[in-house]
Amino acid sequence: MIRTAVGALASTGALMLVLTTPVGPAVAAGKGGPKPLEPEHEIKPAEGYFDETFALEPGGARLYAVRTDGATFAKLEIIDLAAGKTASSFDLPKTQSSIERLEPLGAGKGVVLITREGSAEAPRFVATLVDGAGKAGAKTPSAAAFGRPSNTDLLLAFDHRDGAREGDTTYTITPYKLDTLAPVGKPRVYKTTSGGELKTPPFRLLDFNDGYARAVGEHPRAYDKKTDVRQPARTAILDTLTGKIAREAEIGDVMAWFEAAKLRARHPGRAVFADLNPSDSGVDVVDAMGNRKAVELAVPFGLYDAKSLTDQEGPEADAFFFGISVDPLNPEAVKRQKPDLPMLDLYGMGKADAPATLRGRIFTPRNVTWRAGYGKVVVLKRFKSFTPGGDELDVYKLR
């Protein structure tokens, strides 16, 4: 619809006016709409640039960020968010510069680095504990992936390998205590046959989520000899740390259940995610079982760029955020012949049954990467070129 409107203007020469009209305070995104947040701090690197790998520590007092020049050095920057300044900085281990994720421990005690090894085609990952002074400590064996389950102090290593027969797969989930990387109990091993069938407990495994602590699937029903009928399977959640079925329910809408599988494939490992509604006319919050909940947006959906939708689970228990950007050349702006300012609207919800609310609007003159949590959002202003990372971290207090 936006392309059609712009194309129509181009034929009359009006598009030039749209693109060259000065963009200033008077040309606001949705005049009279949400007021943009002002940054509490604007943090620039002392040298090099900030990588797109950064994370808030529990409680939100500090930000852990990777600072590098992409060639000669890579440092871990610990930023005091109250002061908006670097509290400490240290060199990352040279063998662990390909950082995939940071898992801060809290209270300045350090961080767990999830680093990538091996080839791009077959990557492996390792977790390494680094204390608050930058000293590397415990290290895990490599795994296919690592996950952080909600409401726990665990880090889960996930691995899988093919069995002797075609379609057979063995999944291994090894729990570690996050602050020591010491193993917690024995690894849980699940052997599935073709189709994802488990024998104990009876379960058809479809997907993992919640940091590999949960598996989504189906619980088969018993065969009834009297009626010569097997009852329909039920949707189920398997707790992979205990091996027990945590929740199950009837499949009320078979087509919706099949559609949920497609949605999970687009959002791997996620227990909840934001998605455009089936008519591409709004945003829904969707759980792993395919249950949709429409979001009441702060401005008409037509003002947004639908392709800009991004989301984040956590880091607090039950927290969920999604961001969507105002399209400067949305249909209303084209009609006015004045572009709107580029803005990111950040929505959040605390519980699955709570409504999503606008937590803040942020002026984004270029592409950004954001992390939200603990009443804050940190925004990395990315380079306009194809160079990874950015040259500024802005800290905002959420409404």
Side-chain angles (χ1 to χ4, degrees), residues 320-391:
F320 178 74
F321 300 91
F322 73 85
I324 188 167
S325 297
V326 170
D327 181 357
L329 293 182
N330 62 71
E332 292 300 315
V334 170
K335 193 180 300 182
R336 292 194 309 269
Q337 299 187 6
K338 289 184 178 180
D340 279 338
L341 287 175
M343 297 285 182
L344 170 69
D345 281 354
L346 192 68
Y347 293 81
M349 54 194 297
K351 293 184 179 180
D353 58 349
T357 58
L358 181 67
R359 301 294 305 278
R361 167 169 282 194
I362 298 165
F363 176 54
T364 52
R366 45 185 157 132
N367 290 336
V368 301
T369 298
W370 57 271
R371 302 282 188 275
Y374 313 106
K376 298 179 175 70
V377 61
V378 180
V379 174
L380 173 67
K381 289 183 177 177
R382 284 157 43 191
F383 292 120
K384 292 181 180 179
S385 66
F386 291 107
T387 305
D391 59 0

Coordinates of all heavy atoms in Angstrom, one line a residue, residues 320-391:
F320 N 8.3 -9.3 28.4 CA 8.3 -9.5 26.9 C 8.2 -8.0 26.3 O 7.4 -7.2 26.8 CB 7.2 -10.3 26.4 CG 7.1 -10.4 24.9 CD1 8.0 -11.2 24.2 CD2 6.2 -9.7 24.2 CE1 8.0 -11.3 22.8 CE2 6.1 -9.8 22.8 CZ 7.1 -10.6 22.1
F321 N 9.1 -7.8 25.4 CA 9.1 -6.5 24.7 C 9.1 -6.7 23.2 O 9.6 -7.7 22.7 CB 10.4 -5.7 25.0 CG 10.6 -5.4 26.5 CD1 11.3 -6.3 27.3 CD2 10.1 -4.2 27.0 CE1 11.5 -6.0 28.6 CE2 10.3 -4.0 28.4 CZ 11.0 -4.9 29.2
F322 N 8.5 -5.7 22.5 CA 8.6 -5.7 21.0 C 8.7 -4.3 20.6 O 8.2 -3.3 21.2 CB 7.5 -6.5 20.3 CG 6.2 -5.8 20.3 CD1 5.8 -4.8 19.3 CD2 5.2 -6.1 21.2 CE1 4.6 -4.3 19.3 CE2 3.9 -5.5 21.2 CZ 3.6 -4.6 20.2
G323 N 9.5 -4.1 19.5 CA 9.6 -2.7 18.9 C 9.2 -2.7 17.5 O 9.3 -3.7 16.8
I324 N 8.6 -1.6 17.1 CA 8.2 -1.4 15.7 C 8.4 0.0 15.3 O 8.1 0.9 16.1 CB 6.8 -1.9 15.5 CG1 6.4 -1.9 14.0 CG2 5.8 -1.1 16.3 CD1 5.1 -2.7 13.7
S325 N 8.9 0.3 14.1 CA 9.3 1.6 13.7 C 8.3 2.3 12.9 O 7.6 1.7 12.0 CB 10.7 1.6 13.0 OG 11.7 1.1 13.8
V326 N 8.2 3.6 13.1 CA 7.3 4.5 12.3 C 8.0 4.6 10.9 O 9.2 4.8 10.8 CB 7.2 5.9 12.9 CG1 6.5 6.8 11.9 CG2 6.4 5.8 14.2
D327 N 7.2 4.4 9.8 CA 7.7 4.6 8.5 C 7.6 6.1 8.1 O 6.5 6.6 8.1 CB 6.8 3.8 7.5 CG 7.2 3.9 6.1 OD1 8.2 4.6 5.8 OD2 6.6 3.2 5.2
P328 N 8.7 6.8 7.9 CA 8.6 8.2 7.6 C 7.8 8.5 6.4 O 7.2 9.6 6.3 CB 10.1 8.6 7.3 CG 10.9 7.6 8.1 CD 10.1 6.3 8.0
L329 N 7.7 7.6 5.4 CA 6.8 7.8 4.3 C 5.6 6.9 4.3 O 5.2 6.3 3.4 CB 7.6 7.5 3.0 CG 8.8 8.5 2.7 CD1 9.4 8.1 1.4 CD2 8.3 9.9 2.6
N330 N 4.9 6.9 5.5 CA 3.7 6.2 5.7 C 2.6 6.9 4.9 O 2.8 8.1 4.4 CB 3.3 6.1 7.1 CG 3.1 7.4 7.8 OD1 2.1 8.1 7.5 ND2 4.0 7.8 8.7
P331 N 1.4 6.3 4.6 CA 0.4 6.9 3.8 C 0.0 8.3 4.2 O -0.3 9.1 3.4 CB -0.7 5.9 3.8 CG -0.1 4.6 4.1 CD 1.1 4.9 5.0
E332 N -0.1 8.5 5.5 CA -0.6 9.8 6.0 C 0.5 10.8 5.7 O 0.2 12.0 5.4 CB -0.8 9.7 7.5 CG -2.0 8.9 7.9 CD -3.3 9.4 7.3 OE1 -3.5 10.6 7.3 OE2 -4.1 8.6 6.7
A333 N 1.8 10.5 5.9 CA 2.9 11.4 5.6 C 2.9 11.8 4.1 O 3.1 12.9 3.7 CB 4.2 10.8 6.0
V334 N 2.7 10.8 3.3 CA 2.7 11.0 1.8 C 1.5 11.9 1.5 O 1.7 12.8 0.7 CB 2.5 9.6 1.1 CG1 2.3 9.9 -0.4 CG2 3.8 8.8 1.3
K335 N 0.4 11.7 2.1 CA -0.8 12.6 1.9 C -0.5 14.0 2.3 O -0.9 15.0 1.6 CB -2.0 12.0 2.6 CG -3.3 12.6 2.2 CD -4.5 12.0 3.1 CE -4.5 10.5 2.9 NZ -5.7 9.9 3.7
R336 N 0.2 14.2 3.4 CA 0.6 15.6 3.8 C 1.7 16.2 3.0 O 2.0 17.3 3.2 CB 1.0 15.5 5.3 CG -0.1 15.2 6.3 CD 0.4 15.5 7.7 NE 1.7 14.9 8.0 CZ 1.9 13.8 8.6 NH1 0.9 13.0 8.9 NH2 3.1 13.3 8.8
Q337 N 2.4 15.3 2.3 CA 3.7 15.7 1.6 C 4.7 16.2 2.6 O 5.5 17.0 2.3 CB 3.4 16.8 0.5 CG 2.4 16.3 -0.5 CD 2.2 17.3 -1.7 OE1 2.9 18.2 -1.8 NE2 1.3 17.0 -2.6
K338 N 4.7 15.6 3.7 CA 5.8 15.9 4.8 C 6.1 14.6 5.5 O 5.2 13.9 6.0 CB 5.2 16.9 5.8 CG 5.1 18.3 5.3 CD 4.7 19.2 6.4 CE 4.6 20.6 6.0 NZ 4.2 21.6 7.1
P339 N 7.4 14.1 5.4 CA 7.8 12.9 6.0 C 7.7 13.0 7.6 O 8.0 14.0 8.1 CB 9.2 12.7 5.6 CG 9.7 14.0 5.3 CD 8.6 14.8 4.8
D340 N 7.3 11.9 8.2 CA 7.4 11.8 9.6 C 8.8 11.5 10.1 O 9.6 11.0 9.3 CB 6.5 10.7 10.1 CG 5.0 11.1 10.2 OD1 4.7 12.3 10.3 OD2 4.1 10.2 10.2
L341 N 9.1 11.9 11.3 CA 10.4 11.5 11.9 C 10.5 10.0 12.1 O 9.5 9.4 12.4 CB 10.6 12.2 13.2 CG 10.9 13.7 13.2 CD1 10.9 14.3 14.6 CD2 12.2 14.1 12.5
P342 N 11.7 9.4 11.9 CA 11.8 8.0 12.1 C 11.8 7.7 13.6 O 12.7 8.3 14.4 CB 13.2 7.7 11.5 CG 13.9 9.0 11.5 CD 12.9 10.0 11.4
M343 N 10.9 7.0 14.1 CA 10.8 6.7 15.5 C 10.6 5.2 15.8 O 10.0 4.5 15.0 CB 9.5 7.4 16.1 CG 9.6 8.9 16.1 SD 10.6 9.6 17.3 CE 10.4 11.3 17.0
L344 N 11.2 4.7 16.9 CA 11.0 3.3 17.3 C 10.0 3.4 18.5 O 10.3 4.0 19.5 CB 12.3 2.7 17.8 CG 12.2 1.3 18.5 CD1 11.8 0.3 17.5 CD2 13.6 1.0 19.1
D345 N 8.9 2.7 18.4 CA 8.0 2.5 19.5 C 8.2 1.2 20.2 O 8.2 0.1 19.5 CB 6.5 2.6 19.0 CG 6.1 4.0 18.7 OD1 6.9 5.0 19.0 OD2 5.0 4.2 18.2
L346 N 8.5 1.2 21.5 CA 8.8 0.0 22.2 C 7.6 -0.3 23.1 O 7.2 0.5 24.0 CB 10.1 0.2 23.1 CG 10.7 -1.0 23.7 CD1 11.2 -1.9 22.6 CD2 11.8 -0.6 24.7
Y347 N 7.1 -1.5 23.0 CA 6.0 -2.0 23.8 C 6.4 -3.1 24.7 O 7.4 -3.8 24.4 CB 4.9 -2.5 22.9 CG 4.2 -1.5 22.0 CD1 4.7 -1.1 20.8 CD2 2.9 -1.0 22.4 CE1 4.1 -0.1 20.0 CE2 2.3 0.0 21.6 CZ 2.9 0.4 20.4 OH 2.2 1.3 19.6
G348 N 5.8 -3.2 25.9 CA 6.2 -4.2 26.8 C 5.0 -4.8 27.6 O 3.9 -4.1 27.6
M349 N 5.1 -6.0 28.1 CA 4.1 -6.6 28.9 C 4.8 -7.5 29.9 O 5.9 -8.0 29.7 CB 3.2 -7.5 28.0 CG 3.8 -8.5 27.2 SD 2.7 -9.2 25.9 CE 1.5 -10.0 26.9
G350 N 4.2 -7.5 31.1 CA 4.8 -8.2 32.3 C 4.4 -9.7 32.4 O 5.2 -10.5 32.9
K351 N 3.2 -10.0 32.0 CA 2.7 -11.4 32.1 C 1.9 -11.7 30.8 O 1.4 -10.8 30.1 CB 1.8 -11.5 33.3 CG 2.5 -11.4 34.6 CD 1.5 -11.6 35.8 CE 2.3 -11.5 37.1 NZ 1.4 -11.7 38.3
A352 N 1.7 -13.0 30.6 CA 1.1 -13.5 29.4 C -0.3 -12.9 29.2 O -0.8 -12.7 28.1 CB 1.1 -15.0 29.3
D353 N -1.0 -12.7 30.3 CA -2.4 -12.3 30.2 C -2.6 -10.8 30.4 O -3.7 -10.3 30.4 CB -3.3 -13.0 31.3 CG -2.7 -12.8 32.7 OD1 -1.6 -12.2 32.9 OD2 -3.4 -13.1 33.7
A354 N -1.4 -10.1 30.5 CA -1.5 -8.6 30.6 C -1.4 -7.9 29.3 O -0.8 -8.5 28.3 CB -0.3 -8.1 31.5
P355 N -2.1 -6.8 29.1 CA -2.0 -6.1 27.8 C -0.6 -5.5 27.6 O 0.1 -5.1 28.5 CB -3.1 -5.0 28.0 CG -3.2 -4.7 29.4 CD -2.9 -6.1 30.1
A356 N -0.2 -5.4 26.3 CA 1.0 -4.7 26.0 C 0.8 -3.2 26.0 O -0.2 -2.8 25.5 CB 1.5 -5.2 24.6
T357 N 1.7 -2.5 26.5 CA 1.6 -1.0 26.6 C 2.8 -0.4 26.0 O 3.9 -0.9 26.0 CB 1.4 -0.6 28.1 OG1 2.6 -1.0 28.8 CG2 0.1 -1.1 28.7
L358 N 2.7 0.8 25.5 CA 3.8 1.6 25.0 C 4.7 2.0 26.1 O 4.2 2.8 27.0 CB 3.3 2.8 24.2 CG 4.3 3.7 23.5 CD1 5.0 2.9 22.4 CD2 3.8 5.0 23.0
R359 N 5.9 1.6 26.1 CA 6.9 1.9 27.2 C 7.8 3.1 26.8 O 8.5 3.6 27.6 CB 7.7 0.7 27.5 CG 6.9 -0.5 28.0 CD 6.2 -0.3 29.3 NE 7.2 0.2 30.3 CZ 8.0 -0.7 31.1 NH1 7.9 -2.0 30.8 NH2 8.8 -0.2 32.0
G360 N 7.8 3.4 25.5 CA 8.6 4.6 25.1 C 8.7 4.7 23.6 O 8.6 3.7 22.9
R361 N 8.9 5.9 23.2 CA 9.2 6.2 21.8 C 10.6 6.8 21.7 O 10.9 7.7 22.5 CB 8.1 7.2 21.2 CG 8.5 7.8 19.9 CD 7.3 8.5 19.2 NE 6.4 7.5 18.6 CZ 5.4 7.8 17.7 NH1 5.2 9.1 17.4 NH2 4.6 6.9 17.2
I362 N 11.4 6.3 20.7 CA 12.8 6.8 20.6 C 13.1 7.2 19.2 O 12.7 6.5 18.2 CB 13.7 5.6 21.0 CG1 13.4 5.2 22.4 CG2 15.2 5.9 20.8 CD1 14.0 3.8 22.8
F363 N 13.7 8.4 19.1 CA 14.1 8.9 17.8 C 15.2 8.1 17.3 O 16.2 8.0 17.9 CB 14.5 10.4 18.0 CG 15.0 11.1 16.7 CD1 14.3 11.0 15.5 CD2 16.2 11.7 16.7 CE1 14.7 11.6 14.4 CE2 16.7 12.3 15.6 CZ 16.0 12.3 14.4
T364 N 15.1 7.6 16.0 CA 16.1 6.7 15.5 C 16.5 7.2 14.1 O 16.0 6.7 13.1 CB 15.6 5.3 15.4 OG1 14.3 5.2 14.7 CG2 15.5 4.7 16.8
P365 N 17.4 8.2 14.0 CA 17.8 8.7 12.7 C 18.6 7.7 11.8 O 18.8 7.9 10.6 CB 18.7 9.9 13.0 CG 19.2 9.6 14.4 CD 18.1 8.8 15.1
R366 N 19.0 6.5 12.4 CA 19.6 5.5 11.7 C 19.2 4.1 12.3 O 18.6 4.1 13.4 CB 21.1 5.6 11.6 CG 21.8 6.0 12.9 CD 23.3 6.3 12.6 NE 23.9 7.1 13.6 CZ 25.1 6.8 14.2 NH1 25.7 5.7 14.0 NH2 25.6 7.7 15.1
N367 N 19.6 3.0 11.7 CA 19.3 1.7 12.3 C 19.9 1.5 13.6 O 21.0 2.0 14.0 CB 19.8 0.6 11.3 CG 19.0 0.6 10.0 OD1 17.9 1.0 10.0 ND2 19.6 0.0 9.0
V368 N 19.1 0.8 14.5 CA 19.6 0.6 15.9 C 19.4 -0.9 16.2 O 18.6 -1.6 15.6 CB 18.8 1.5 16.9 CG1 18.9 2.9 16.5 CG2 17.3 1.0 16.9
T369 N 20.1 -1.3 17.3 CA 19.9 -2.5 18.0 C 19.6 -2.2 19.4 O 20.3 -1.3 20.0 CB 21.2 -3.4 17.9 OG1 21.5 -3.7 16.6 CG2 21.0 -4.7 18.7
W370 N 18.6 -2.8 20.0 CA 18.2 -2.4 21.4 C 18.1 -3.6 22.3 O 17.9 -4.8 21.9 CB 16.8 -1.7 21.3 CG 15.7 -2.5 20.7 CD1 15.3 -2.5 19.4 CD2 14.8 -3.4 21.4 NE1 14.2 -3.3 19.2 CE2 13.9 -3.9 20.4 CE3 14.6 -3.8 22.7 CZ2 12.9 -4.8 20.7 CZ3 13.6 -4.7 23.0 CH2 12.7 -5.2 22.0
R371 N 18.3 -3.3 23.6 CA 18.1 -4.3 24.7 C 17.3 -3.6 25.8 O 17.7 -2.5 26.2 CB 19.4 -4.8 25.3 CG 20.4 -5.4 24.3 CD 20.0 -6.9 23.9 NE 21.0 -7.5 23.1 CZ 21.1 -7.4 21.8 NH1 20.2 -6.7 21.1 NH2 22.1 -8.0 21.1
A372 N 16.2 -4.2 26.2 CA 15.4 -3.6 27.3 C 15.3 -4.5 28.5 O 15.6 -5.7 28.4 CB 13.9 -3.4 26.7
G373 N 15.0 -3.9 29.6 CA 14.9 -4.7 30.9 C 15.1 -3.8 32.1 O 15.8 -2.8 32.0
Y374 N 14.5 -4.2 33.2 CA 14.7 -3.5 34.5 C 14.4 -2.0 34.4 O 15.1 -1.2 35.0 CB 16.2 -3.7 35.0 CG 16.6 -5.2 34.9 CD1 17.5 -5.6 33.9 CD2 16.0 -6.1 35.7 CE1 17.8 -6.9 33.8 CE2 16.4 -7.5 35.6 CZ 17.3 -7.9 34.6 OH 17.7 -9.2 34.5
G375 N 13.4 -1.7 33.6 CA 12.9 -0.3 33.5 C 13.8 0.6 32.6 O 13.6 1.8 32.6
K376 N 14.7 0.0 31.8 CA 15.6 0.7 30.9 C 15.5 0.1 29.5 O 15.2 -1.1 29.4 CB 17.0 0.7 31.4 CG 17.3 1.3 32.8 CD 18.7 1.2 33.2 CE 19.1 1.9 34.5 NZ 18.5 1.2 35.6
V377 N 16.0 0.9 28.6 CA 16.3 0.3 27.3 C 17.6 1.0 26.8 O 17.8 2.2 27.0 CB 15.2 0.6 26.2 CG1 14.9 2.0 26.0 CG2 15.5 -0.1 24.9
V378 N 18.5 0.1 26.3 CA 19.8 0.6 25.8 C 19.8 0.4 24.3 O 19.5 -0.7 23.8 CB 21.0 -0.1 26.4 CG1 22.3 0.4 25.8 CG2 21.0 0.0 27.9
V379 N 20.1 1.5 23.6 CA 20.0 1.5 22.1 C 21.4 1.8 21.5 O 22.0 2.8 21.9 CB 19.0 2.6 21.6 CG1 19.0 2.7 20.1 CG2 17.6 2.3 22.2
L380 N 21.8 0.9 20.6 CA 23.1 1.0 19.9 C 22.7 1.7 18.6 O 22.0 1.1 17.8 CB 23.7 -0.3 19.7 CG 25.0 -0.3 18.8 CD1 26.1 0.5 19.4 CD2 25.4 -1.7 18.4
K381 N 23.3 2.9 18.3 CA 23.2 3.5 17.0 C 24.2 2.9 16.1 O 25.4 3.1 16.3 CB 23.4 5.0 17.2 CG 22.3 5.8 17.9 CD 22.6 7.3 17.9 CE 21.5 8.0 18.5 NZ 21.8 9.5 18.6
R382 N 23.7 2.1 15.1 CA 24.6 1.4 14.2 C 25.1 2.3 13.1 O 24.5 3.3 12.8 CB 23.8 0.2 13.7 CG 23.7 -0.9 14.7 CD 22.5 -1.9 14.4 NE 22.4 -2.2 13.0 CZ 21.3 -2.9 12.6 NH1 20.3 -3.2 13.4 NH2 21.2 -3.2 11.3
F383 N 26.3 1.9 12.6 CA 26.9 2.6 11.5 C 25.9 2.5 10.3 O 25.2 1.6 10.1 CB 28.2 2.0 11.1 CG 29.3 2.2 12.2 CD1 29.9 1.1 12.7 CD2 29.7 3.4 12.6 CE1 30.9 1.2 13.7 CE2 30.7 3.6 13.5 CZ 31.3 2.5 14.1
K384 N 26.0 3.6 9.5 CA 25.1 3.6 8.3 C 25.7 2.7 7.2 O 24.9 2.3 6.4 CB 25.1 5.1 7.8 CG 24.3 6.0 8.7 CD 24.2 7.4 8.1 CE 23.4 8.3 9.1 NZ 23.4 9.7 8.6
S385 N 27.0 2.4 7.3 CA 27.6 1.5 6.3 C 27.3 0.1 6.7 O 26.6 -0.2 7.6 CB 29.1 1.8 6.2 OG 29.7 1.4 7.4
F386 N 27.9 -0.8 5.9 CA 27.7 -2.3 6.3 C 28.6 -2.7 7.4 O 28.6 -3.9 7.7 CB 28.0 -3.1 5.0 CG 26.9 -2.9 4.0 CD1 27.1 -2.2 2.8 CD2 25.6 -3.5 4.1 CE1 26.2 -2.0 1.8 CE2 24.6 -3.3 3.2 CZ 24.9 -2.6 2.0
T387 N 29.5 -1.8 7.9 CA 30.3 -2.2 9.0 C 29.5 -2.6 10.2 O 28.5 -1.9 10.6 CB 31.2 -1.0 9.4 OG1 31.9 -0.5 8.3 CG2 32.2 -1.3 10.5
P388 N 29.8 -3.7 10.9 CA 29.0 -4.1 12.1 C 29.2 -3.2 13.2 O 30.3 -2.5 13.3 CB 29.5 -5.5 12.4 CG 30.9 -5.5 11.8 CD 30.9 -4.7 10.6
G389 N 28.3 -3.2 14.2 CA 28.4 -2.4 15.4 C 28.0 -0.9 15.2 O 27.4 -0.5 14.2
G390 N 28.4 -0.1 16.2 CA 28.0 1.3 16.2 C 28.9 2.2 17.0 O 29.7 1.7 17.8
D391 N 28.7 3.5 17.0 CA 29.5 4.4 17.7 C 28.9 5.1 18.8 O 29.5 6.1 19.4 CB 30.1 5.5 16.7 CG 28.9 6.2 16.0 OD1 27.7 6.0 16.3 OD2 29.2 7.1 15.2

